[in-house]
Amino acid sequence: MASRRPDGFDGLAYRGGRDEPPHFSSAYSLRSGPAEPPQHLHWVTTPPDIPGSRNLHSGERTPLYDEPPGAASDWDATTGQAGGPLPPPPPPPPEQLNRLTGFGIGLVSLFAENVLTHPCVVFRRQCQVNYHAQCNHLSPFSALAVMYAISKAQGPRALWKGMGSTFIVHGVTLGAEGVISEFTPLPREIPHRWSAKQLAGHFLLKGLTAMVALPFYCSSLIETVQSEIARDESSSGLLDCVREGFARLLGAGAPHSRRLLPLGALLLPAACHAVLRYAVAVAVQRAALWLHRRGEKPGRGPAADPLEAHFPELAAAWLGSLAADALAYPLETTLHRLSLQGTRTIIDATDGAGPAAGAGNGGGPLVLPVNTQYDGLADCVHAIRRKEGRAGFYRGFGALAAQFALHGALLAGARTLLRLLLLEGKVG
């Protein structure tokens, strides 16, 4: 095959030769224009500089965007680096900032409500079912002192027991509420403009949900108040709450005392407690939000302060839960005593001298059995009022006050920390 290279080709430096014949287009001229100088075919051994390619000469760079002619560039060809400062990154959009702020505050609220304050829930329930105690622990200071004594005598696990079963009860409650609302016309949410029929159906849904979750609530209550000294480690597990709940529902499992009340006797107190607590919590929460929005300044809002988009709702929910638990506390005490009767449960001594003395020199018992003989809700209320007085309905109320004080302090601390972070982000 004959070579197709020109005769004057001398390698990389070739740009046309003298002996090369002229280009075929040089013999023709444009009709409407002056004659142009002859054009020669130049051989180029390297492709042109394509933006984004590596075919760059020394001191050159590929433009990342179209630059107008004569525009100043911050690129230093001698060093191959940017000579000027880069522009600061744009701040995150307000929607993303509000979403992250709400997620952080909500996570802190869930942690404080379900994990951090669980020891207060444990001690409060133990005080409610301990009819032997001489001290009612109406103050948070006495409750915290005995809680410290119990954890010192039995270890930290003494006040963190039953936390997994509480999550199971929450899951069963949410699942039962969803299933009942799907197969019945009962509304799961209250609309903005509600009627009396919709409100009654919504409250009925809450009562039915509490009835469905009642067996698992009873088994969770036993795990919460059962003393660590009398607990069997071989039979304790995360799913024991589910197993014991079905055993209580079907009447199977370990034999109980004859004083064990059937679930039918506990359905009405459980439904009334759930509906009363929910109604008070929602009413107080909506009233607090209404007062907050009424007194809010026109210039302040989610756009001016991202914390204002989420923190008022959490604060109103905290206030509603506090009011609901305080108002339904006597009914909760009665329900817990009826649910625990006949289960042969052994609880920790909640008197101030009991745990401390028992741990030191044997001056008081560490654990106590629960032996009650109530015939029903009315008999339990009458017995508590006759033997313990009205203060007997509020045993362990100091632990409830400590629980919500700790929850509120953690929310306030999270709000302050997030506000400082937002201010630093704006300044930076």
Side-chain angles (χ1 to χ4, degrees):
M1 177 184 293
S3 175
R4 302 179 65 178
R5 292 183 179 181
D7 297 336
F9 182 81
D10 57 353
L12 299 178
Y14 178 76
R15 293 294 184 272
R18 299 178 181 177
D19 298 338
E20 180 182 356
H23 195 264
F24 66 90
S25 63
S26 61
Y28 301 94
S29 60
L30 299 175
R31 296 180 180 179
S32 61
E36 294 183 357
Q39 299 179 1
H40 297 282
L41 181 62
H42 297 282
W43 288 78
V44 181
T45 59
T46 57
D49 183 17
I50 303 174
S53 66
R54 296 296 181 180
N55 303 317
L56 303 178
H57 301 285
S58 176
E60 297 180 354
R61 69 182 180 92
T62 299
L64 301 179
Y65 50 88
D66 296 335
E67 295 179 356
S73 176
D74 60 347
W75 186 268
D76 192 353
T78 58
T79 61
Q81 299 179 356
L86 295 176
E95 295 81 5
Q96 182 180 2
L97 190 61
N98 292 342
R99 192 180 300 110
L100 293 177
T101 304
F103 176 77
I105 297 181
L107 187 63
V108 170
S109 179
L110 288 177
F111 175 78
E113 183 179 0
N114 299 304
V115 179
L116 189 62
T117 59
H118 186 74
C120 299
V121 176
V122 171
F123 186 73
R124 180 185 78 189
R125 292 181 175 181
Q126 287 183 338
C127 291
Q128 287 176 329
V129 299
N130 187 8
Y131 60 93
H132 302 284
Q134 300 296 327
C135 182
N136 293 325
H137 296 292
L138 302 179
S139 170
F141 302 103
S142 63
L144 291 177
V146 179
M147 289 169 60
Y148 174 75
I150 293 177
S151 61
K152 185 177 180 181
Q154 304 181 22
R157 291 184 56 184
L159 296 177
W160 296 93
K161 52 195 174 185
M163 186 171 61
S165 62
T166 57
F167 288 110
I168 293 177
V169 172
H170 288 324
V172 171
T173 303
L174 293 177
E177 182 178 350
V179 171
I180 295 175
S181 63
E182 287 293 332
F183 291 95
T184 59
L186 302 178
R188 191 173 184 179
E189 298 291 340
I190 302 178
H192 182 68
R193 295 182 178 180
W194 47 270
S195 61
K197 183 179 180 181
Q198 292 175 339
L199 185 63
H202 185 66
F203 286 161
L204 179 59
L205 175 63
K206 294 296 181 180
L208 293 177
T209 302
M211 292 180 182
V212 173
L214 179 60
F216 309 99
Y217 182 82
C218 294
S219 60
S220 175
L221 176 64
I222 295 174
E223 290 188 11
T224 305
V225 301
Q226 180 79 20
S227 176
E228 283 292 322
I229 298 177
R231 186 182 298 272
D232 188 7
E233 295 293 339
S234 60
S235 62
S236 60
L238 183 61
L239 297 180
D240 283 347
C241 174
V242 180
R243 180 174 57 84
E244 294 294 335
F246 280 110
R248 181 75 179 267
L249 178 63
L250 301 176
H256 297 284
S257 173
R258 292 183 178 181
R259 296 188 300 271
L260 180 66
L261 294 176
L263 288 178
L266 303 177
L267 292 179
L268 183 60
C272 293
H273 174 261
V275 172
L276 176 62
R277 188 183 182 281
Y278 176 77
V280 174
V282 171
V284 174
Q285 180 179 359
R286 293 196 175 186
L289 285 177
W290 179 77
L291 291 176
H292 171 74
R293 291 168 183 171
R294 185 180 180 182
E296 187 177 7
K297 296 181 180 179
R300 298 182 61 85
D305 190 358
L307 294 176
E308 295 297 329
H310 305 280
F311 188 81
E313 296 182 1
L314 292 176
W318 173 86
L319 185 61
S321 299
L322 174 60
D325 286 342
L327 187 61
Y329 200 87
L331 185 57
E332 184 184 56
T333 301
T334 306
L335 176 62
H336 287 174
R337 292 198 181 188
L338 293 176
S339 302
L340 208 64
Q341 178 174 306
T343 58
R344 299 179 179 178
T345 304
I346 298 178
I347 63 174
D348 296 319
T350 58
D351 280 334
N361 51 13
L366 285 174
V367 294
L368 295 170
V370 178
N371 297 320
T372 55
Q373 299 180 1
Y374 304 123
D375 295 333
L377 178 63
D379 182 59
C380 181
V381 172
H382 181 70
I384 293 176
R385 182 184 300 176
R386 185 181 71 254
K387 297 180 181 180
E388 306 173 32
R390 294 184 178 180
F393 292 101
Y394 292 92
R395 286 182 180 269
F397 191 82
L400 179 67
Q403 172 187 349
F404 281 93
L406 184 59
H407 188 184
L410 192 60
L411 282 180
R415 183 188 183 187
T416 304
L417 180 60
L418 288 175
R419 187 179 295 277
L420 293 177
L421 293 177
L422 290 176
L423 290 177
E424 290 181 1
K426 291 181 180 180
V427 173

